[in-house]
Amino acid sequence: MRLKWSLLVLLPVLGGCATMPLGPSVLVLPGSGKSFEDFELDNGICQDWAAEQAGMNPDRAGQTRAATAAAIGTLVGAGTGAAIGAAYGNPGAGAAIGGGSGLVLGGATGLNSGQSWRWELQRRYDNAFQQCMYAKGNQIPVNAGSQPANARTELVPPPPPGPPPPPPPNS
């Protein structure tokens, strides 16, 4: 019976360890006059360089954060449960209940943290990949009709009116 409950608690935690592909998620096109073979060579070099620049494997980082949060949640839950259980005369049951609850809540928190970390590393990877490919003469498509999020358009008021014209001469 305990094995079934253990598996039930661990399945969501292990399910969060799903891998995210390490590769570009941005479009890059071959440069003018570049052969497809040259483009593929640049692609391989730039993928390796981008992975190095991103700092680490996104899957390992996410799994580490999820496991750490689950462990901390278990310890905090067990401690809190033991304290509450001691107040009611059964610290062992309180620690078990608190530890299980902490594992589930800590695991869920860790999965969320791990997922956001993976997306951050993907963003870093994509930026480095695009920089490398552009430096090697490839094209980065840009939507010409869009503005950066931080671009501001300000309306400029018209200039103030000039001095009034001189009066006509009396003749």
Side-chain angles (χ1 to χ4, degrees), residues 5-18 66 70 103-105 107-108 110-112:
W5 280 106
S6 299
L7 290 176
L8 185 63
V9 169
L10 288 177
L11 281 177
V13 173
L14 294 175
C17 297
L103 175 63
V104 171
L105 294 175
L111 292 177
N112 187 33

Side-chain angles (χ1 to χ4, degrees), residues 84-104:
I84 293 171
Y88 288 97
N90 195 345
I97 293 169
S101 301
L103 175 63
V104 171

Side-chain angles (χ1 to χ4, degrees), residues 51-119:
E52 184 180 314
Q53 297 305 306
M56 64 187 306
N57 183 336
D59 296 328
R60 192 172 74 210
Q63 290 170 358
T64 301
R65 284 179 174 239
T68 301
I72 290 171
T74 302
L75 293 174
V76 170
T80 304
I84 293 171
Y88 288 97
N90 195 345
I97 293 169
S101 301
L103 175 63
V104 171
L105 294 175
T109 302
L111 292 177
N112 187 33
S113 173
Q115 186 68 15
S116 64
W117 181 246
R118 284 182 217 154
W119 286 114

Side-chain angles (χ1 to χ4, degrees), residues 24-51:
S25 64
V26 291
L27 178 63
V28 177
L29 301 172
S32 298
K34 222 174 223 217
S35 71
F36 184 72
E37 289 76 22
D38 289 341
F39 175 75
E40 283 297 307
L41 182 63
D42 291 347
N43 186 36
I45 291 169
C46 289
Q47 282 191 29
D48 291 343
W49 187 78

